[in-house]
Amino acid sequence: RAETTSLDIDHLNLECEFNNVDHRTELNGVDRLIVRRGQPFTISVYLRSGSYQPGVSSLDCVAETGPQPSEQYGTKASFALSANIDTSCWSASVTGPPGDMVVLSICSSPNAPIGRYTLTLGRSVRTEFILLFNPWCPGDAVYMDNEQSLAEYILAQDGIIFRGSYKHPIPTAWNFGQFEHGILDICLRILDMNPKCLRNPGKDYSGRRNAVYVSRVLSAMVNCNDDKGVLLGRWTTDYEGGVSPLYWRGSVEILRNWDQQACQPVRYGQCWVFAAVACTVSRALGIPCRIVTNYLSAHDTNNNLVIERYVNEEGELMKSKEMIWNYHCWVESWMTRPDLKPDFNGWQASDPTPQEKSEDVYCCGPIPVKAIKEGELTFKYDASFVFAEVNADVLTYMKKKDGSTSNVTSATLVGQKISTKSVGSDAREDITHIYKYPEGSDEEREAFKRADHQNKLLHQKEDLGLLLSIKVTSDMKKGCDFDVFAVVTNNTEHEKHCRLVFGSCAMSYSGVLGGNCGFKDLLNVRLSPGAGERVPLTLNYSKYGGQLTEDSLIRLAALLLDYSTGEAKLAVRNIVLDDPQIKVRILGEPKENRKLAAEITLQNPLPEPLEDCCFSIEGSNLTGGRVITERLGCTVGPGEEAKVKIYFTPTHSGLRKLVVDFDSNKLCHVKGYRNVIIGK
């Protein structure tokens, strides 16, 4: 074997712009090297003396990450020059012609831990780079074989979160901003602040090769319940010391606040905010991720797959630990599950909202969505909690004044219209079918058997004698008076004599009830066989306006008591009142680095004036990574328009969302957005 000579290196050029574009990380900037694992990158090596001779010249390369790099833990890799790049492991090869400048290709292992690396070439030349997950690489656990999906779930810096109610899903725009200045560094800091890393950094850095591990860490670190996590949750109306969760338009301001205030939690978040921040961090690190909304989401605290609700004799819900949230948001991340049997790769649900502890920490998931569908509740992690969110049975009892309780018949559904943003458009994609089989199907029965979901298996057909439902009209706008209806039908062959209690109260999206918005108690409803009655309840703004929470939700409940049998039926419906529309007009031709104006208007729908009015906008690559706010100096009377002009300068071409928020004393945090196509 011929004697080899080590290359004598003077300096390097990391070719950051070329490599970052090639690795689809250039939106993070091109001032440093950011590459994805399992994909070669190329650097220029300038020699101090001699030239590269194939077969004679040698170069020892060492890549290290974390405070205690070790080959045993996979946080240190030593490799020499080889004839060709091997994309299945760390390797290096010279790809340019011999001479005093050498083109060196380096490839990381597709299973290498992600994060900050030091690369040492020869004895003395050291440089740094950042390594991310690579969903474009077939050898990576997060590989996704669809360019449109990758454009959405990795590269899209904004998106849509569905809120509102299951009868009326409302799209809210969100600025993820995963490529904004400094965000990637903050995401890596989140990993470094996690308790597992603080306890045993060597082991934690080694765990960062595994997308399942990283997702679980994120689900714990986005909330601050056991650690120096990002957000503090609050589900009351008191937001002292912080801002309402509805204040936020995007993740950038939240992550920067956390970073700048020495990892003190940002106040406050609720489920869609926790999910959106987790989505930003996942996309930044290279894990394909999307936000999912589950309407009528059950919070089962004792793992029996049953939500037990109690109402009083007026049909009002009594306080309970177990709730049905009007909606609940979590994230799904795309990855293989080598720790489980095959067939459970793909979308994995994890939930950063702190609800219940898992392995003594407030986190949840990742669990394969397919395991939920199949009722495989022994799979990791937290299968039974997520299964209950979409499948729990609801049992309703009436607590009477004398202390006794009785069953109430109530057709309450759980896990409806599970929604996410469609790939490449703002439309709602219904993904209920990936979480559950069609109701009543044989496959559903099999899944319930596997999950030991006895209550659902024992379900009898509902008694069709007396029917009770709630009907509403389509024009339930904030500021208006409108009617809602309890519809009672007697399908028996006997006359029925009943009491009907029909009430309404304000409600938060998490199911907490507020003040009364209108109430009716009819002691003497008589229905002949086959007859029906439609009982109206008028909701007046003068009554409900002062009761509404920021979620603009009203819970309608009708309770029907049959005097002859003593049986009770309950119908419940949550309605969401429409906010006025925000109109956005773009003035000027949208081009990179050219100042634009957005003319933003909102008409006051309330019968009273609005004060302290203020519009805010933000958008990735549109507003320079910040929020731009414009206050109105005047009061806006009923029916009048609030109007502002806000200037901003886009920095990159492409389709972007300008996210808008309007706030005032009486109309809080109305959301809007406008898609803007920025030309080159």
Side-chain angles (χ1 to χ4, degrees), residues 409 461-467 567 569:
T409 315
K461 274 274 174 271
E462 215 189 320
D463 156 40
L464 297 174
L466 270 175
L467 293 185
E567 286 176 2
K569 279 191 183 280

Side-chain angles (χ1 to χ4, degrees), residues 387-445:
F387 183 85
E389 288 184 304
V390 299
N391 284 311
D393 207 12
V394 182
L395 299 181
T396 309
Y397 302 97
M398 187 193 293
K399 259 199 171 134
K400 299 185 176 156
K401 292 194 178 83
D402 63 9
S404 66
T405 59
S406 61
N407 283 355
V408 177
T409 315
S410 176
T412 301
L413 303 164
V414 160
Q416 297 297 302
K417 259 192 199 167
I418 304 174
S419 303
T420 191
K421 177 189 178 296
S422 295
V423 170
S425 94
D426 290 348
R428 185 182 73 84
E429 182 186 350
D430 194 304
I431 55 170
T432 311
H433 63 280
I434 75 169
Y435 279 87
K436 31 205 230 181
Y437 284 106
E439 216 156 300
S441 65
D442 293 346
E443 293 95 336
E444 184 194 50
R445 278 192 77 76

Side-chain angles (χ1 to χ4, degrees), residues 193-207:
M193 293 309 294
N194 101 74
K196 291 175 178 172
C197 184
L198 299 176
R199 275 196 304 272
N200 186 340
K203 192 175 172 194
D204 176 77
Y205 269 78
S206 173

